[in-house]
Amino acid sequence: MSTPIQGFSKLSKEEKIDWVSQTFTQGDPETKSLLTQYWHEDKELQKLHDEFIENTLSNFYLPLGIAPNFLINNSLYAIPMAIEESSVVAAASKAAKFWESRGGFKTEVLGTEKIGQVHFFFQGDPEKLKSFFTHIKPILLADCVSLTANMEKRGGGISSLSLRDKTSDLAHYFQIHAVFQTADAMGANFINSCLEQFATTLKREVPLYADFTEEEKSLEVVMSILSNYVPNCVVKATVSCPVEDLEGIDGASGRVFAQKMVQAVAIAKAAPHRAVTHNKGIMNGIDAVVIATGNDFRAVEAGVHAYAAKDGQYSSLTHAEIVDGVFSFWIEVPLALGTVGGLTNLHPLVKWSLSVLQKPSAERLMEIVAVAGLAQNFAALHSLVTSGIQKGHMKMHLLNILNQLGATAKEKEQLVAYFKDQTATHSLVVSSFEALRKNGRL
Ligand code: MEV
């Protein structure tokens, strides 16, 4: 058992590593060499990364890949993806190529509203609170002018401000509910600054309101924070084609394949256990692009899953139908993203990813990210309703296993060829590798 340490954050990076090494690995020199091995040799670049978070010891690499051939609204994109899971980039690329020759992806941003709330308790007459709110609403907005001026120049700002009575959910609980437009920024800092200003104004104005009793003047602000639930910051991405254009997939007729896809989506709509995995596959695509473009994937994840449960049961984010012989497959997903501010101007690879995406607006990035999610779901369901995922997945996983086993480049080449036409299960890869090492052949 280690003892608590005081002033850890004040130690230098080297001292922190020494402490961790002494305390948790008996001073094993491996700790230091492992952590320093991942430091960037360019000291300025390393300093940049060190300062992203606190108590930085090293860098944690994620592979950055790219999925080409995405035809989106008649323009071609190559989509950068940062993810550790094998098969995801391959699946995205496969789906992109598949739809590129079938009209590509069509997208539409359905809304860009962000939300924030001041949460407070008020014990008194709700009608008086309503009158008070009408009285202070212009003051709340006026007090925010220095914060909103710049955002308004960029086409954003505060779109509405309302009082919400939440007392049927929790005694004495009310909210100031604010709706924002944040242009190309994700907007968290802007929103939270406005909300904290609202809270300050509220606290200042309550004691001055003559109609309030002393008890009513004890209105208590608990917190002010944006909501990551953004059901009106939503984008839709669609692919569609005549069922005949799906002919020949896994030897099935186009109609049979399309029907299986529709059934697979229907199952995810009906069964939460399946919906979670179905949506997890979608998030493989979404998160990878969100991370590559320096956006907050935890915020996106939280908002997306809340949206998936908005009708009372956790359900599929994608939809599918066959109407008049045309198969359509689409996603509607809330995505609060930014292409300015935050990491977007700081992390060199994020800047690069955004330039590969042709420096998109936040709305265009929403479209691209939704497409990546839809493509991923199409690829997953395509495999699941035909050959199953293990065949392709294990093939991609083969290289990971061979790397873990320490296979040489030549051995990898031989084993990849060997598993070309058979399923690469973990145990079969290990035994084949051992046989190759022992006998020099397979
Ligand atoms: C694996 O990361 C994702 C899938 O399980 C998604 C799905 O089942 O739809 C293949």
Side-chain angles (χ1 to χ4, degrees):
M1 258 287 272
S2 65
T3 48
I5 176 166
Q6 303 295 329
F8 183 70
S9 64
K10 306 275 182 310
L11 300 180
S12 70
K13 194 159 74 168
E14 288 77 2
E15 287 167 336
K16 288 186 183 106
I17 291 177
D18 282 344
W19 179 81
V20 171
S21 160
Q22 294 300 336
T23 314
F24 298 106
T25 61
Q26 289 83 45
D28 182 358
E30 266 286 300
T31 298
K32 190 165 186 172
S33 59
L34 181 68
L35 292 170
T36 53
Q37 177 187 326
Y38 285 92
W39 287 1
H40 202 286
E41 60 190 24
D42 177 335
K43 288 205 167 57
E44 277 306 303
L45 198 56
Q46 184 53 52
K47 190 163 173 287
L48 180 76
H49 284 74
D50 286 351
E51 289 174 1
F52 285 151
I53 63 163
E54 308 75 37
N55 294 346
T56 307
L57 301 180
S58 189
N59 306 307
F60 192 97
Y61 291 178
L62 270 187
L64 175 67
I66 194 151
N69 298 323
F70 272 96
L71 185 63
I72 306 176
N73 302 333
N74 302 321
S75 296
L76 265 178
Y77 290 86
I79 303 188
M81 303 177 85
I83 187 160
E84 86 299 346
E85 184 175 333
S86 55
S87 299
V88 170
V89 179
S93 309
K94 204 171 154 194
K97 202 155 174 219
F98 184 91
W99 285 105
E100 190 269 326
S101 58
R102 290 167 178 81
F105 295 80
K106 300 283 182 276
T107 61
E108 187 188 352
V109 172
L110 305 177
T112 54
E113 282 181 11
K114 315 274 169 65
I115 286 165
Q117 292 152 334
V118 178
H119 304 266
F120 65 94
F121 288 98
F122 172 76
Q123 312 220 14
D125 179 355
E127 289 307 315
K128 270 203 241 170
L129 184 63
K130 272 191 213 157
S131 306
F132 169 69
F133 183 72
T134 309
H135 158 70
I136 62 157
K137 194 169 159 181
I139 308 174
L140 289 168
L141 292 170
D143 283 358
C144 272
V145 163
S146 64
L147 296 168
T148 51
N150 201 21
M151 185 55 89
E152 279 171 8
K153 273 191 215 136
R154 293 191 272 144
I158 302 168
S159 350
S160 76
L161 212 50
S162 56
L163 175 70
R164 292 206 167 172
D165 182 338
K166 307 298 284 180
T167 51
S168 55
D169 298 324
L170 181 65
H172 312 301
Y173 171 38
F174 292 83
Q175 298 169 343
I176 293 178
H177 182 94
V179 178
F180 300 86
Q181 291 291 345
T182 60
D184 284 335
M186 194 269 194
N189 282 332
F190 166 68
I191 294 172
N192 289 332
S193 300
C194 290
L195 294 170
E196 290 188 3
Q197 180 56 55
F198 294 156
T200 304
T201 303
L202 185 62
K203 285 188 251 180
R204 189 190 68 217
E205 293 296 318
V206 165
L208 307 178
Y209 196 61
D211 279 0
F212 278 158
T213 62
E214 280 315 303
E215 192 185 27
E216 287 165 338
K217 284 182 184 171
S218 69
L219 180 153
E220 193 189 347
V221 174
V222 179
M223 59 190 165
S224 313
I225 187 74
L226 65 72
S227 171
N228 290 122
Y229 183 45
V230 282
N232 295 321
C233 184
V234 173
V235 55
K236 181 176 178 183
T238 308
V239 284
S240 75
C241 69
V243 290
E244 299 81 57
D245 289 359
L246 301 169
E247 212 65 41
I249 295 173
D250 210 38
S253 84
R255 177 164 292 279
V256 168
F257 172 75
Q259 278 164 349
K260 281 195 173 175
M261 293 292 282
V262 171
Q263 283 170 338
V265 172
I267 289 169
K269 285 187 184 220
H273 273 91
R274 173 56 202 151
V276 171
T277 317
H278 178 96
N279 290 347
K280 186 274 181 189
I282 293 170
M283 298 316 288
N284 279 344
I286 289 183
D287 281 340
V289 191
V290 168
I291 293 171
T293 56
N295 277 278
D296 181 344
F297 66 94
R298 288 85 54 211
V300 167
E301 283 276 349
V304 166
H305 295 298
Y307 190 77
K310 71 180 188 325
D311 297 325
Q313 175 177 295
Y314 191 89
S315 185
S316 169
L317 293 162
T318 51
H319 311 270
E321 64 183 19
I322 305 166
V323 176
D324 298 334
V326 173
F327 169 72
S328 298
F329 183 60
W330 70 100
I331 188 169
E332 262 183 44
V333 72
L335 291 169
L337 302 176
T339 54
V340 297
L343 268 199
T344 57
N345 304 330
L346 286 177
H347 197 300
L349 287 175
V350 167
K351 280 201 240 175
W352 178 84
S353 296
L354 288 169
S355 68
V356 167
L357 292 174
Q358 299 156 44
K359 297 198 171 44
S361 63
E363 290 194 30
R364 180 58 47 78
L365 185 60
M366 286 168 76
E367 295 172 332
I368 293 166
V369 171
V371 162
L374 183 69
Q376 211 61 46
N377 189 228
F378 179 80
L381 297 186
H382 179 310
S383 297
L384 287 167
V385 302
T386 55
S387 57
I389 58 155
Q390 281 314 89
K391 194 162 162 243
H393 195 80
M394 289 314 289
K395 220 164 257 177
M396 296 301 295
H397 197 49
L398 174 61
L399 280 176
N400 282 350
I401 303 174
L402 293 176
N403 284 336
Q404 276 163 23
L405 292 171
T408 62
K410 177 124 198 295
E411 285 167 339
K412 280 191 225 171
E413 200 181 302
Q414 285 171 290
L415 284 154
V416 167
Y418 181 70
F419 281 103
K420 196 161 178 286
D421 299 315
Q422 59 179 318
T423 305
T425 63
H426 190 273
S427 58
L428 195 56
V429 174
V430 174
S431 59
S432 309
F433 169 75
E434 283 166 355
L436 177 65
R437 271 270 158 107
K438 192 156 166 248
N439 309 323
R441 62 185 168 79
L442 282 158

